[in-house]
């Protein structure tokens, strides 16, 4: 039998702040939409998301 990981029950600001340090605002990507996931799943989202520059004149950046 494997170890069960429970849904994260802390503040989403922990993950939102990690995104903010990458330059990703809550308006761009709101971690509150992922309530009910485990801490490992939430951290995986934060670790994999990044901002890429878009060609000059289009916009400041896009999520990838």
């Amino acid at each position: 039998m494997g170890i069960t990981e429970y849904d994260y029950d802390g503040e989403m600001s922990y993950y939102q702040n990690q995104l903010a340090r990458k330059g990703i605002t809550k308006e761009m990507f709101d971690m509150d939409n992922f309530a009910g996931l485990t801490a490992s799943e939430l951290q995986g989202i934060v670790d994999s998301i990044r901002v890429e520059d878009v060609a000059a004149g289009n916009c400041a950046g896009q999520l990838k």
Side-chain angles (χ1 to χ4, degrees), residues 23-40:
I24 300 168
T25 66
K26 189 169 185 166
E27 290 76 27
M28 294 168 76
F29 197 89
D30 189 350
M31 289 300 294
D32 290 336
N33 293 325
F34 298 93
L37 297 180
T38 65
S40 296

Side-chain angles (χ1 to χ4, degrees):
M1 190 181 290
I3 297 174
T4 301
E5 186 176 0
Y6 296 100
D7 293 351
Y8 179 70
D9 65 354
E11 293 292 320
M12 284 297 198
S13 62
Y14 173 76
Y15 298 102
Q16 200 70 57
N17 289 338
Q18 290 182 56
L19 291 175
R21 288 191 294 273
K22 293 182 173 189
I24 300 168
T25 66
K26 189 169 185 166
E27 290 76 27
M28 294 168 76
F29 197 89
D30 189 350
M31 289 300 294
D32 290 336
N33 293 325
F34 298 93
L37 297 180
T38 65
S40 296
E41 292 167 328
L42 294 168
Q43 191 62 56
I45 291 169
V46 170
D47 292 345
S48 65
I49 195 167
R50 60 192 169 102
V51 174
E52 286 195 353
D53 290 332
V54 178
N58 291 337
C59 65
Q62 66 183 25
L63 294 176
K64 187 99 178 178

